[in-house]
Amino acid sequence: MSRKDIHRSCLNLVTYFLLLFILGCAAKSSLPAKPTGEYIWPPPPETPRIKWLAQWSDSQDIKKVNPLDVLIGEGLLHVLFRPNGVVSDNAGNVYVADSQLNKVFVFDLEKQSMRFLGEGTLKTPIGLAIDNKRGIIFVTDSGADKVFCLDKNTGKVVMSLTTTGKFNNPSGIVYDEERGRLYVSDTKNHMVRPFDKEGKALITIGKKGGGDGEFNSPSYLALDRNGRLYVVDTFNSRVQIFDPEGKFVKQFGRMGDKPGSFSRPAGIGVDSEGHIYVVDTAFSNFQIFSEDGKLLLWIGKTGTGAGEFSLPTGMYVDSKDRIYVTDTFNRRVQVFQYLKEKK
């Protein structure tokens, strides 16, 4: 190759990476602006219970991108497209299933970098759960009708779930580390499937119907500190609660357009004091209920500001009572903090 050809190739390479950087910046420009200031709910003079902390949308949330890094193949801007399920690990790293880009974004705070899991493996990732002890990320894939068990560092498939019958549009998923039990919403089969820590199927929970312990397209799942399972029973417009063995305990919720009712319930979480958080995609908010299903507070409306949403879907509440909500059409994850009463 002549010197002229080498020079031309170098120019083409530089142009390519600059184009990628410009396209990334263009994608970023369509994202909501980063909120500034303090946001709390309810507003004064009432005692604050929820505080807005941050939003996660792109690789610059971890490390600022330098255009010069692009020239050496580093620092490309990566932006969420259709965030859905979300979970965090014990180190505070945030994992987000992007159902359009077919991978899991990892906002790696430990390494101050963005990385990905499931590239080339996942088809339509929806829900996420984590086993911190073994370093496994569980991913429901509604496009492949499978649940993938990935090493959280390498992304390699480390385990398979064995079950009779095929998954049909699996969505919600949650892992009970204390009991070594994984729960999966098998949505179009109208049941929840529990598995032991080795991936072996246990007795199923539920069937299609509207009675206690029956479902109409169950979706997102959560656990409380006592190991009770919370199931968003989507088209029955309610939340059902089961004990760790899958026995029905109680349910709350109904279809409606007023606070305390549900239109399109989605993500769910439970904090350390037993408060139940439920996202509603139609209301563009999340509602907070007491343990007995009484509405305590609701947060959100349609918009792009802090605490505003456009088709929110997934939710996760971590051990420190941080609340993660995937704000899907705003292409971000919003993070809130539950403020405990001072004793």
Side-chain angles (χ1 to χ4, degrees):
M1 183 181 290
S2 68
R3 182 175 297 179
K4 185 176 181 180
D5 289 335
I6 294 174
H7 180 68
R8 184 182 297 111
S9 296
C10 289
L11 283 176
N12 288 339
L13 189 60
V14 169
T15 302
Y16 170 74
F17 282 116
L18 281 175
L19 180 60
L20 286 179
F21 180 75
I22 292 169
L23 289 173
C25 290
K28 182 176 175 61
S29 68
S30 66
L31 297 173
K34 302 285 185 184
T36 58
E38 184 176 75
Y39 301 86
I40 56 174
W41 296 266
E46 297 186 59
T47 302
R49 287 286 174 257
I50 302 292
K51 181 179 180 178
W52 187 90
L53 295 182
Q55 72 178 36
W56 300 94
S57 57
D58 59 72
S59 50
Q60 283 195 18
D61 291 324
I62 293 293
K63 184 178 181 180
K64 297 299 181 184
V65 175
N66 185 332
L68 293 178
D69 291 338
V70 179
L71 300 182
I72 57 174
E74 299 180 359
L76 296 180
L77 184 63
H78 300 282
V79 183
L80 289 169
F81 197 83
R82 287 291 181 271
N84 203 307
V86 59
V87 74
S88 67
D89 63 20
N90 286 344
N93 301 313
V94 181
Y95 302 76
V96 186
D98 194 307
S99 55
Q100 184 70 36
L101 297 180
N102 312 322
K103 57 188 176 183
V104 176
F105 280 62
V106 184
F107 294 87
D108 194 324
L109 303 184
E110 295 173 293
K111 298 179 181 178
Q112 290 192 317
S113 65
M114 170 75 77
R115 56 188 177 86
F116 304 98
L117 302 176
E119 290 182 288
T121 300
L122 302 175
K123 188 174 182 180
T124 312
I126 299 294
L128 297 178
I130 187 167
D131 177 352
N132 282 287
K133 295 178 182 178
R134 295 184 293 173
I136 297 175
I137 296 291
F138 303 99
V139 188
T140 55
D141 191 324
S142 65
D145 285 330
K146 292 181 180 179
V147 176
F148 291 94
C149 310
L150 308 177
D151 183 287
K152 78 168 194 174
N153 296 310
T154 66
K156 292 182 179 179
V157 178
V158 295
M159 187 172 69
S160 297
L161 303 185
T162 57
T163 180
T164 56
K166 186 179 179 181
F167 285 114
N168 190 355
N169 198 213
S171 56
I173 189 168
V174 68
Y175 183 69
D176 185 340
E177 289 192 347
E178 182 178 338
R179 296 166 183 79
R181 189 161 297 177
L182 179 71
Y183 300 91
V184 180
S185 280
D186 194 355
T187 302
K188 290 188 177 179
N189 282 328
H190 308 287
M191 66 176 65
V192 175
R193 295 182 184 267
F195 297 82
D196 68 17
K197 65 180 181 179
E198 303 304 327
K200 181 181 177 181
L202 305 173
I203 188 170
T204 59
I205 302 172
K207 62 179 181 179
K208 188 171 184 179
D212 292 345
E214 299 176 342
F215 303 112
N216 189 352
S217 298
S219 57
Y220 294 86
L221 305 175
L223 294 166
D224 67 15
R225 60 194 183 283
N226 297 314
R228 294 193 301 181
L229 175 68
Y230 294 71
V231 183
V232 174
D233 188 4
T234 307
F235 293 130
N236 282 327
S237 301
R238 63 184 179 178
V239 172
Q240 295 201 65
I241 305 170
F242 300 81
D243 71 14
E245 302 307 315
K247 181 180 178 181
F248 174 81
V249 176
K250 57 184 176 180
Q251 59 93 12
F252 70 91
R254 56 185 174 79
M255 170 67 78
D257 58 3
K258 296 180 179 179
S261 58
F262 299 123
S263 179
R264 283 190 288 166
I268 188 169
V270 184
D271 69 23
S272 63
E273 295 184 348
H275 303 120
I276 306 161
Y277 302 72
V278 184
V279 170
D280 198 298
T281 62
F283 296 158
S284 292
N285 70 8
F286 63 90
Q287 302 182 88
I288 307 172
F289 299 86
S290 65
E291 289 184 276
D292 59 5
K294 179 182 177 182
L295 179 67
L296 301 175
L297 180 66
W298 57 271
I299 294 168
K301 62 180 181 179
T302 300
T304 60
E308 298 177 346
F309 303 96
S310 181
L311 199 80
T313 49
M315 168 177 276
Y316 179 71
V317 180
D318 71 13
S319 61
K320 296 182 179 179
D321 289 332
R322 288 176 297 219
I323 306 149
Y324 303 81
V325 182
T326 49
D327 188 5
T328 303
F329 283 177
N330 281 330
R331 302 171 63 186
R332 63 183 177 178
V333 176
Q334 295 197 62
V335 189
F336 305 81
Q337 177 71 56
Y338 168 62
L339 305 174
K340 296 182 179 181
E341 280 191 60
K342 295 181 180 180
K343 297 181 180 180

